[in-house]
Amino acid sequence: ELTTDLLNKWMAVFAEKIEANKAYLSDLDTPIGDGDHGNNMARGMAAVEEALNTKKPADLTSALKLVAMSLISKVGGASGPLYGTAFLEMAKLSSSETDLAKLAEAALLGIKKRGGAEPGDKTMVDVWSAVVPALAEGKLTEDIIQQAVESTKPMQARKGRASYLGERSIGHLDPGSVSSGYLFSSLLEVEE
Ligand code: ADP
Ligand code: MG
Ligand code: MG
């Protein structure tokens, strides 16, 4: 169950992981993209932390909305609107549902609708679509997350910038899948 308190802790840990791995994420984005994913996400998560800590939203829906808006306005690129949509969909559902698996499922549907990617296209959808059923079964582990992240390496990208490279996108981890992996590893850490 997601609460405002848990969301605050979750975002704080995620922001730390993004900041600590900023250079790594941008390096991953260099051979198959434009080398900005770490910088994009670090700018966005700094804005999320700033917004949560200054505005201190009292209820879960406002807090999720604030996360979404900060990501949409500050991350940029392809990933900003996609992460933003994920949190916006969670915000919408959160007035009637606070189960994390259900919220994550709504977020995944939003990401797929917005970006048109399906599992196997070498995008963050590969991680989200492995995590959502595991969350629903209450069996999300770090292993499941890492396997989903690693699964993007042999894939050929069919969406986003990496798709411009065709077969040359094979053999590289998808940066947005790695950052999504951090999102869910952070969740596991704060849920303990
Ligand atoms: P940009 O490619 O605009 O520079 P980023 O580098 O911040 O944006 O983000 C790239 C990541 O966004 C990719 O690694 C991939 O995971 C994700 N992505 C790109 N396009 C899509 C899409 N259509 N659907 C889902 N995820 C996508
Ligand atoms: Mg990029
Ligand atoms: Mg870019």
Side-chain angles (χ1 to χ4, degrees), residues 2-74:
L2 188 61
T3 60
T4 313
D5 183 49
L6 187 66
L7 178 70
N8 278 309
K9 290 179 177 151
W10 181 15
M11 292 301 107
V13 174
F14 182 44
E16 271 174 34
K17 281 197 202 297
I18 289 291
E19 185 58 37
N21 294 282
K22 177 163 87 169
Y24 173 59
L25 289 170
S26 285
D27 284 350
L28 289 175
D29 194 34
T30 301
I32 58 168
D34 55 356
D36 62 359
H37 188 61
N39 296 278
N40 290 346
M41 292 301 295
R43 191 171 59 239
M45 287 312 297
V48 165
E49 282 303 283
E50 164 80 20
L52 288 175
N53 293 328
T54 56
K55 298 192 177 153
K56 301 191 197 315
D59 64 283
L60 182 62
T61 301
S62 326
L64 285 165
K65 234 180 245 171
L66 193 59
V67 171
M69 291 313 168
S70 305
L71 292 171
I72 290 169
S73 65
K74 289 284 156 49

Side-chain angles (χ1 to χ4, degrees), residues 44-111:
M45 287 312 297
V48 165
E49 282 303 283
E50 164 80 20
L52 288 175
N53 293 328
T54 56
K55 298 192 177 153
K56 301 191 197 315
D59 64 283
L60 182 62
T61 301
S62 326
L64 285 165
K65 234 180 245 171
L66 193 59
V67 171
M69 291 313 168
S70 305
L71 292 171
I72 290 169
S73 65
K74 289 284 156 49
V75 176
S79 58
L82 292 165
Y83 273 110
T85 298
F87 281 91
L88 206 54
E89 290 301 318
M90 290 196 253
K92 281 195 228 162
L93 186 58
S94 66
S95 52
S96 61
E97 176 69 75
T98 58
D99 178 65
L100 248 166
K102 296 268 169 52
L103 294 171
E105 185 184 18
L108 170 59
L109 285 175
I111 293 172

